[in-house]
């Protein structure tokens, strides 16, 4: 019975956000400005439950697995079950989701104050959190897919929350449709695995692969793995389906923190972690290159962005590329580790940016300036003294994402980069791209993040009037910043095994050991290679991070180098505009996909209206009308007037003449009767 308690708590943890959604969606208007108390109470209880799971179930020496399932339906010999599973990986992910979601809820109380759809906002947060918990706890791919789509729906509602703005409405549609592309591939991959092995259960699929279900056709397993991975390409914003994530910034900033830190974008990485043992070396190689391309490309784009949220958005895309690349090179542990550390410091960065935007927005409203962009870093400057809590929290999170020692990002990033070095040492050739992409992205990340810090918090204020009205955010908004900034330190992940902030061995690495028996991959060789590459990766990482920070200091703090002149030179080489315009990927899609499909839809419309409707449908209508006219004319003029009326006239004439014979003389009646009988006798004799 005691063994079922954790499972019961996990299921309660799952449904508490759903209860919040149901209450607020039906009774939110009546609750008004007090709606957040319902949401905070239930989400806070969820965090407490998750914390208890983290403490009581999370045995560092072993990996407990608890599961429950029910039969959904049976078709022939196939039985489909839906259920939930808890292991160390799921508990960590649950805790991350619960923590970030709780802090976002608390932060939103101050940020969304006065919004006309205040209660609905918290309702949407509830259904989003419920969906993410469902993905984490799902024990089968079909169950995961159900919640996967529910996450897509709830993110659509949150991104387009301010749907009055055309940009927000377009952004939520773009996110929804782009993710559908990846989800279609994911569904096909799931079906291939199901029909090959006969189950949707993740453990059953892993066991089936290990028992040789694809021994004779590893190519099919590779294809299935890549197709399932397409779902992660969409959700985790990997190239070429990354285009939706920066536009998702149109939603409220707390939503950006929730989507970009621990929830929606992390879902793809988490899914790959769950199915990792069934991925073939060929599939993993493709995954690694997709991650590497995403990491370096998004980092380059972030350098030229001036919108503070867009910089962080492309930073998220780049860091997700790191995670995916780590999984692709076999560094399973490092990929999931970076997901966990990234959730903390990236949520902090987004909430800090929200604090800055909130302060700028109120300051601009005070001076009745409705034209200045409150998110453009060029309109800020000098905010360090006005917003000290926000500044220090954002600085600590920036140090973490830049991979500076003593911060969590240093540990997880180095583990990822060590994985890329190990992969190159084992395979050589073109795989050199992966460590080059990883280290280059690390350098660029340090540069653009400190560019953000210097443009926002240092230097002279861009507008003295705005600056005079800048104030620190309220406690509901600053408390999450302080907590997340604290969780950005490496010490949080090394205790209790080590107090050395440069030692990556801690509770996380002990709880999530390297996986064995991966399809066609020698994980012992991978682990050994990562171990040998660790110090090399650490050294190179420190060098590139230092270079990136130093360049940012020269350009934006000391201003020894004119950034505009460098941009001009880069523009002559057509590099600056390439980054500023996001490698023209949206334009390319517009040229090769959107316009052809619009043209095709126009052609189909023309065929449908001008040919099918006007000629075929309307033609049949015209013919029917003409035939009915002729039919009516024939019916009236011939059948009615000639035939029917003719018979009537004949009948009338005969009747009138027969009437003359009825004169009342009995003798005439008898004579007529006798004549009739005689006529009948004659006829009978004739025939």
């Amino acid at each position: 019975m005691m063994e079922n308690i954790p499972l019961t708590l996990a299921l309660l943890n799952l449904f508490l956000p759903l209860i919040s959604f149901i209450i607020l969606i039906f009774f939110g208007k009546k609750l008004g400005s007090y709606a957040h108390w319902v949401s905070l109470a239930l989400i806070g209880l969820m965090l407490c439950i998750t914390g208890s799971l983290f403490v009581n179930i999370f045995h560092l020496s072993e990996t407990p697995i608890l599961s429950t399932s029910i039969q959904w339906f049976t078709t022939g010999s196939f039985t489909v079950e839906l259920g939930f599973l808890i292991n160390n990986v799921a508990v960590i992910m649950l805790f991350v989701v619960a923590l970030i979601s709780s802090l976002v809820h608390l932060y939103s109380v101050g940020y969304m104050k006065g919004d006309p759809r205040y209660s609905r906002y918290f309702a949407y947060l509830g259904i989003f959190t419920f969906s993410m918990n469902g993905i984490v706890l799902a024990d089968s791919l079909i169950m995961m897919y159900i919640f996967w789509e529910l996450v897509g729906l709830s993110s659509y509602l949150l991104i387009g929350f301010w749907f009055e703005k055309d940009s927000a409405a377009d952004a939520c549609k773009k996110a929804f449709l782009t993710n559908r592309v990846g989800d279609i591939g994911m569904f096909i991959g799931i079906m291939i695995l199901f029909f090959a092995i006969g189950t949707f259960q993740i453990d059953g699929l892993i066991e089936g692969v290990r028992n040789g279900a694809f021994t004779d056709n590893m190519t099919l397993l590779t294809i299935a793995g890549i197709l399932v991975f397409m779902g992660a390409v969409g959700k985790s914003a990997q190239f070429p389906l990354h285009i939706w994530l920066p536009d998702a910034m149109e939603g409220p900033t707390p939503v950006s923190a929730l989507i970009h830190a621990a929830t929606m974008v992390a879902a793809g990485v988490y899914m790959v972690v769950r199915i990792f043992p069934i991925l073939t070396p060929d599939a993993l190689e493709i995954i690694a290159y997709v991650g590497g391309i995403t990491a370096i490309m998004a980092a380059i784009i972030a350098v030229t962005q001036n919108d503070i949220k867009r910089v962080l958005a492309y930073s998220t895309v780049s860091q997700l590329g790191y995670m995916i690349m780590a999984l692709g090179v076999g560094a399973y542990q490092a990929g999931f580790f970076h997901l966990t550390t990234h959730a903390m410091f990236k949520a902090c960065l987004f909430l800090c940016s929200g604090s800055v935007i909130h302060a700028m927005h109120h300051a601009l409203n005070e001076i009745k300036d409705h034209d200045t962009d409150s998110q453009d870093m060029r309109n800020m400057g000098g905010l360090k003294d006005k917003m000290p809590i926000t500044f220090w929290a954002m600085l600590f999170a920036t140090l973490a994402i830049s991979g500076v020692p003593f911060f969590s990002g240093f540990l997880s990033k180095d583990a990822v980069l060590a994985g890329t070095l190990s992969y190159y040492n084992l395979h050589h050739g073109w795989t050199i791209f992966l460590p080059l992409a990883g280290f280059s992205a690390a350098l660029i990340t340090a540069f653009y993040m400190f560019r953000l810090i210097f443009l926002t918090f240092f230097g002279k204020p861009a507008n003295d009037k705005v600056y005079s009205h800048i104030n620190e955010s309220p406690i509901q908004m600053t408390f999450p910043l302080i907590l997340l900034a604290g969780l950005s330190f490496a010490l949080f992940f090394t205790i209790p095994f080590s107090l050395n902030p440069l030692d990556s061995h801690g509770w996380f690495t002990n709880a999530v050991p390297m996986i064995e028996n991966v399809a066609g991959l020698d994980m012992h060789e991978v682990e050994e290679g990562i171990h040998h590459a660790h110090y090399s990766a650490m050294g190179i990482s420190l060098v590139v991070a230092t270079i990136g920070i130093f360049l940012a200091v020269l350009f934006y703090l000391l201003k020894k180098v004119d950034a505009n002149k460098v941009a001009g030179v880069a523009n002559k080489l057509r590099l600056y505009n390439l980054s500023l315009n996001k490698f023209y990927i949206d334009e390319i899609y517009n040229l090769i996909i959107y316009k052809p499909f619009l043209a095709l839809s126009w052609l189909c419309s023309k065929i449908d209206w001008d040919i099918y409707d006007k000629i075929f449908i309307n033609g049949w209508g015209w013919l029917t009308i003409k035939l009915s006219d002729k039919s009516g004319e024939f019916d009236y003029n011939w059948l009615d007037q000639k035939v029917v009326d003719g018979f009537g006239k004949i009948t009338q004439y005969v009747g009138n003449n027969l009437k003359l014979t009825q004169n009342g003389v009995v003798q005439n009646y008898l004579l007529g009767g006798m004549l009739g009988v005689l006529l009948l006798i004659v006829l009978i004799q004739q025939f």
Side-chain angles (χ1 to χ4, degrees):
M1 181 66 78
M2 293 296 292
E3 294 180 355
N4 292 328
I5 293 176
L7 196 59
T8 304
L9 290 176
L11 293 178
L12 183 61
N13 181 86
L14 169 67
F15 288 107
L16 281 172
L18 180 62
I19 295 171
S20 172
F21 167 76
I22 293 171
I23 293 174
L24 293 178
I25 208 71
F26 286 105
F27 306 104
K29 286 186 177 181
K30 293 183 179 179
L31 293 169
S33 60
Y34 298 99
H36 63 269
W37 288 111
V38 174
S39 189
L40 286 175
L42 292 170
I43 299 300
L45 180 59
M46 181 190 74
L47 179 60
C48 293
I49 292 172
T50 308
S52 69
L53 288 172
F54 192 83
V55 173
N56 297 314
I57 288 185
F58 203 74
H59 302 295
L60 299 178
S61 58
E62 55 185 80
T63 304
I65 298 179
L66 302 170
S67 63
T68 183
S69 62
I70 59 170
Q71 184 175 307
W72 187 14
F73 65 86
T74 300
T75 304
S77 59
F78 293 125
T79 299
V80 179
E81 294 183 341
L82 300 179
F84 301 97
L85 178 144
I86 304 174
N87 58 13
N88 283 356
V89 172
V91 169
I92 294 173
M93 193 66 189
L94 276 178
F95 182 73
V96 170
V97 172
L99 179 62
I100 302 301
S101 181
S102 301
L103 293 176
V104 166
H105 275 75
L106 179 60
Y107 183 94
S108 297
V109 174
Y111 191 89
M112 298 298 293
K113 186 178 180 180
D115 193 281
R117 293 187 295 273
Y118 188 71
S119 62
R120 182 168 295 187
Y121 170 81
F122 283 97
Y124 291 167
L125 288 183
I127 191 67
F128 187 93
T129 305
F130 164 72
S131 307
M132 267 307 302
N133 285 341
I135 290 177
V136 174
L137 292 171
D139 71 339
S140 68
L141 285 181
I142 194 66
M143 186 78 168
M144 185 178 287
Y145 189 78
I146 292 170
F147 284 104
W148 193 271
E149 293 301 317
L150 195 55
V151 164
L153 175 62
S154 51
S155 66
Y156 171 85
L157 297 173
L158 285 170
I159 295 169
F161 184 75
W162 289 324
F163 55 82
E164 301 90 349
K165 296 193 300 181
D166 290 338
S167 56
D170 292 340
C172 68
K173 287 186 288 186
K174 187 176 183 179
F176 189 82
L177 294 174
T178 305
N179 274 275
R180 296 293 73 72
V181 176
D183 294 353
I184 290 171
M186 181 182 177
F187 184 76
I188 296 171
I190 292 172
M191 290 298 108
I192 292 173
L193 292 171
F194 174 71
F195 285 109
I197 300 176
T199 182
F200 289 112
Q201 304 299 115
I202 295 175
D203 288 344
L205 293 172
I206 294 171
E207 193 65 28
V209 171
R210 288 173 177 172
N211 291 335
F214 289 91
T215 302
D216 298 329
N217 197 352
M218 292 299 288
T219 303
L220 183 62
L221 180 59
T222 299
I223 293 171
I226 293 170
L227 286 169
V228 175
F229 171 67
M230 280 185 64
V233 173
K235 277 290 186 291
S236 292
Q238 298 297 287
F239 175 84
L241 300 181
H242 66 283
I243 57 173
W244 69 269
L245 192 58
D247 290 345
M249 298 298 97
E250 293 295 336
T253 299
V255 170
S256 302
L258 192 62
I259 290 176
H260 287 227
T263 51
M264 183 174 175
V265 294
V269 179
Y270 177 77
M271 184 266 290
V272 178
V273 168
R274 292 289 302 275
I275 67 167
F276 186 79
I278 69 173
L279 297 171
T280 65
D282 290 338
L284 288 171
E285 185 175 4
I286 292 172
I287 290 171
Y289 279 109
V290 169
I293 293 169
T294 305
I296 185 64
M297 182 188 68
I300 293 171
I301 295 173
V303 171
T304 58
Q305 303 303 308
N306 295 309
D307 186 304
I308 190 171
K309 288 177 67 176
R310 278 195 174 268
V311 174
L312 296 178
Y314 281 106
S315 170
T316 298
V317 176
S318 181
Q319 297 304 305
L320 288 166
Y322 264 104
M323 302 171 204
I324 293 295
M325 182 169 59
L327 295 173
V329 299
Y332 162 91
Q333 190 185 60
F336 191 52
F337 189 23
H338 196 54
L339 183 156
T340 307
T341 61
H342 176 265
M344 306 303 169
F345 57 70
K346 182 51 63 71
C348 183
L349 287 169
F350 266 109
L351 294 182
C352 285
S353 72
S355 179
V356 171
I357 294 167
H358 184 265
M360 287 286 297
H361 182 72
H362 280 275
L364 289 167
N365 281 341
E366 286 289 330
I367 63 173
K368 301 187 184 320
D369 183 350
H370 303 295
D371 297 322
T372 301
D373 188 353
S374 60
Q375 297 184 189
D376 195 323
M377 296 182 294
R378 294 170 297 183
N379 297 328
M380 301 174 187
L383 302 184
K384 173 171 65 70
D385 297 327
K386 287 280 189 172
M387 307 181 73
I389 298 175
T390 301
F391 164 68
W392 284 108
M394 200 163 198
L395 179 62
F396 289 153
T398 298
L399 290 168
I401 196 174
S402 300
V404 174
F406 304 105
F407 292 89
S408 60
F410 173 77
L411 303 178
S412 57
K413 259 190 169 182
D414 283 357
V416 172
L417 296 172
T420 62
L421 281 177
S422 170
Y423 194 78
Y424 170 69
N425 292 334
L426 290 172
H427 298 88
H428 302 288
W430 287 103
T431 60
I432 186 66
F433 167 77
L434 298 174
L436 285 176
F439 287 110
S440 299
L443 188 154
I444 299 170
T445 298
F447 175 78
Y448 70 68
M449 285 307 304
F450 274 89
R451 170 180 178 263
L452 183 152
I453 290 290
F454 296 144
L455 287 176
T456 304
F457 295 102
F458 289 82
K460 294 181 180 179
N463 189 319
D464 290 329
K465 288 184 179 179
V466 175
Y467 182 79
S468 63
H469 289 87
I470 293 289
N471 295 298
E472 183 64 273
S473 298
I475 186 66
Q476 304 100 313
M477 296 174 65
T478 54
F479 174 75
L481 307 186
I482 297 169
L483 181 58
L484 290 169
L487 295 177
S488 298
F489 282 88
L491 192 64
F492 178 77
F493 296 91
T494 59
I495 57 173
F497 291 91
S498 175
L499 296 178
N500 180 5
L502 304 180
D503 185 2
S504 61
H505 183 66
W507 61 263
F508 184 95
T509 52
N510 200 67
V512 187
M514 291 291 284
I515 293 178
E516 299 181 357
N517 299 321
V518 178
L521 193 65
D522 188 349
M523 290 301 294
H524 292 289
E525 186 181 37
V526 172
E527 188 173 8
E528 189 69 21
I530 293 173
H531 178 73
H532 286 301
H534 176 69
Y535 289 104
S536 299
M538 182 184 295
I540 301 171
S541 178
L542 282 173
V543 171
V544 297
T546 303
I547 293 172
I549 296 170
F550 177 71
L551 289 173
V553 170
L554 284 180
F555 275 75
Y556 299 103
L557 183 62
L558 302 178
K559 297 185 178 179
K560 297 293 185 182
V561 181
D562 192 335
N564 293 324
K565 287 184 178 180
V566 175
V569 174
N571 195 34
K572 289 180 180 179
L573 300 173
R574 299 187 177 182
L575 296 176
Y576 183 83
N577 281 338
L578 193 66
S579 170
L580 183 64
N581 293 287
K582 301 160 285 190
F583 287 89
Y584 298 98
I585 292 175
D586 279 304
E587 288 79 4
I588 293 171
Y589 282 165
N590 186 55
L591 183 64
I592 67 173
I593 297 176
Y594 305 148
K595 284 187 176 180
F597 269 94
L598 286 173
L600 181 62
S601 63
W602 177 85
L603 180 62
C604 291
S605 175
K606 294 291 288 184
I607 293 172
D608 180 61
W609 176 247
D610 292 341
I611 297 176
Y612 187 75
D613 278 355
K614 287 187 177 181
I615 297 176
F616 186 73
I617 301 297
N618 292 351
W620 274 112
W622 177 85
L623 183 61
T624 302
I625 292 171
K626 291 297 182 182
L627 288 174
S628 60
D629 288 342
K630 293 297 181 183
S631 175
E633 185 179 340
F634 176 79
D635 180 67
Y636 182 76
N637 293 333
W638 290 95
L639 288 178
D640 282 354
Q641 297 293 320
K642 304 294 184 184
V643 179
V644 176
D645 289 358
F647 272 108
K649 288 179 180 180
I650 293 171
T651 303
Q652 184 181 22
Y653 174 78
V654 172
N656 289 333
N657 285 284
L658 289 174
K659 184 172 67 174
L660 296 175
T661 62
Q662 299 180 8
N663 52 15
V665 180
V666 177
Q667 293 87 341
N668 290 342
Y669 295 155
L670 291 173
L671 179 61
M674 290 179 62
L675 291 173
V677 170
L678 289 173
L679 182 60
L680 184 61
I681 293 170
V682 172
L683 291 173
I684 291 171
Q685 289 180 344
Q686 290 293 324
F687 295 102

